Amino acid sequence: MQNVTPEIAKGLGLKKETGVVVTRVEPGSPAADAGIQTGDVIHEVNRKPVKNVEDFVQKVEKAKDQDHVLLFLQRGQNNLLPP
């Protein structure tokens, strides 16, 4: 993961410079199974905004005892909720 920078936001056509960009997805991982792809931008974890990588890690850590974690992400110009 990587923080969304002004350059990344411009390159991806993002309106905001917040969130994290997925830089790699391990084959067979829960992220891969959920359909998350390199280049996806994660904006929320469990309906809470994500500002940067540190914020993302904290929110996922808080949710580790839950069966599921809801991610709101953007792929290109589309907003997605993984299956």
Side-chain angles (χ1 to χ4, degrees):
M1 306 216 124
Q2 177 179 339
N3 293 334
V4 172
T5 63
E7 295 81 19
I8 290 172
K10 184 177 180 182
L12 294 175
L14 303 175
K15 295 178 183 177
K16 297 181 187 179
E17 296 172 9
T18 59
V20 295
V21 178
V22 177
T23 56
R24 185 172 59 112
V25 178
E26 291 288 329
S29 69
D33 293 344
I36 296 172
Q37 300 176 6
T38 300
D40 287 348
V41 179
I42 300 174
H43 292 290
E44 295 180 2
V45 174
N46 287 340
R47 302 189 188 274
K48 305 246 189 272
V50 171
K51 298 174 190 167
N52 53 40
V53 172
E54 182 180 346
D55 190 35
F56 172 81
V57 170
Q58 288 175 353
K59 286 181 171 64
V60 169
E61 190 65 25
K62 279 185 177 181
K64 70 180 179 181
D65 293 333
Q66 299 175 6
D67 289 336
H68 296 87
V69 176
L70 179 66
L71 300 177
F72 177 67
L73 57 90
Q74 182 174 346
R75 180 174 299 147
Q77 296 302 311
N78 299 310
N79 295 321
L80 306 168
L81 292 168

